[in-house]
Amino acid sequence: IEAIKQIVYLFTRMDEDEKNWAYVKRAQKLILNQKESIKKVINYRWLAYEYENKYTTTGRKTLLDSGFTFTKKATIGAFQHKNYDELAKLYRAFESFSYHKGEVNKALQYIDTAIFFAKQIKGEKNLSGLYLSKAWDHLDLGEKEEAIQWMDSVIYHNKTNDVVGIMMEHLDASDLYEQAGRLDKAYAAFKVYAKMKD
């Protein structure tokens, strides 16, 4: 399973996603036959995200239902193991599937749950990715002030050394601020993005 996951990762990095699906389906057969363990929880989550990725390239709605089912199965195991890291990631997956289905109110509830579990994780944690999803959910609901506040939180709370991630975060911020009508913040965020890119 791990070897197949690495092949999928490699094809993704090479921008050859069309080769992935046969490997994902092979991994799926192996994962379904795994004994219940935290490893199976992690593998179910991986499958869920692969189904979401396939949906984004094909638009096939049935993929969302399958991904949602894998996420539910993984969530049961994550609760049994009291694994807050996995629960945060799984509720982020629920948020994503709901968002794709156009159920933005549900998506917002799921991202709040993901944030709750992420805050239970001991040690350093970076919540900016979860806050980013929350900001976009608020914007899609027409709640511009909330969207701006959460995007401010994304930038303030980012605790990563990933330069490319920070750069893309500022590009996202510029886009969100513009759509929310805060052109001053949009311009400032874009300037940071452009400087980092250069």
Side-chain angles (χ1 to χ4, degrees):
I1 293 168
E2 290 305 314
I4 291 170
K5 284 162 74 172
Q6 290 303 315
I7 291 169
V8 170
Y9 176 69
L10 183 63
F11 282 136
T12 301
R13 289 294 298 270
M14 292 167 54
D15 224 3
E16 297 179 11
D17 291 86
E18 69 280 356
K19 295 180 180 177
N20 279 342
W21 197 238
Y23 287 100
V24 170
K25 296 304 271 184
R26 279 175 64 187
Q28 180 178 323
K29 285 180 185 174
L30 296 169
I31 292 165
L32 291 175
N33 289 320
Q34 258 185 319
K35 289 180 181 176
E36 296 302 323
S37 66
I38 193 61
K39 197 69 183 164
K40 186 167 187 173
V41 169
I42 293 166
N43 288 333
Y44 268 141
R45 176 180 47 79
W46 175 81
L47 267 179
Y49 277 112
E50 288 303 319
Y51 268 75
E52 185 210 4
N53 186 47
K54 185 71 171 173
Y55 165 77
T56 60
T57 58
T58 65
R60 284 180 21 221
K61 296 272 186 190
T62 54
L63 293 166
L64 295 178
D65 295 331
S66 297
F68 198 88
T69 300
F70 289 131
T71 307
K72 279 171 72 174
K73 287 181 178 181
T75 304
I76 293 165
F79 271 116
Q80 287 172 346
H81 293 280
K82 295 181 181 168
N83 189 312
Y84 297 125
D85 183 46
E86 279 302 312
L87 286 167
K89 291 172 182 173
L90 289 163
Y91 275 92
R92 168 64 183 87
F94 281 134
E95 184 272 344
S96 187
F97 289 122
S98 297
Y99 185 88
H100 288 311
K101 289 180 177 181
E103 300 168 347
V104 185
N105 279 315
K106 267 190 189 176
L108 197 55
Q109 291 171 359
Y110 283 130
I111 204 65
D112 282 338
T113 307
I115 291 167
F116 169 79
F117 283 120
K119 287 181 175 179
Q120 310 308 308
I121 301 167
K122 292 180 178 161
E124 279 291 311
K125 51 198 161 232
N126 186 359
L127 302 178
S128 62
L130 299 175
Y131 291 160
L132 180 63
S133 295
K134 187 169 172 67
W136 281 109
D137 289 345
H138 277 296
L139 187 69
D140 283 358
L141 289 168
E143 299 166 350
K144 294 181 180 180
E145 285 306 311
E146 289 87 344
I148 291 165
Q149 288 170 5
W150 283 102
M151 184 52 79
D152 289 347
S153 294
V154 170
I155 293 168
Y156 180 78
H157 289 285
N158 193 328
K159 295 176 182 166
T160 180
N161 295 323
D162 176 12
V163 176
V164 175
I166 294 169
M167 181 182 76
M168 296 312 294
E169 203 169 77
H170 278 83
L171 183 62
D172 264 335
S174 177
D175 187 18
L176 183 137
Y177 286 140
E178 183 181 358
Q179 290 186 48
R182 285 300 302 272
L183 299 183
D184 57 328
K185 284 180 172 277
Y187 179 61
F190 189 80
K191 276 185 12 182
V192 173
Y193 161 75
K195 185 175 181 182
M196 291 181 79
K197 187 168 184 254
D198 291 344

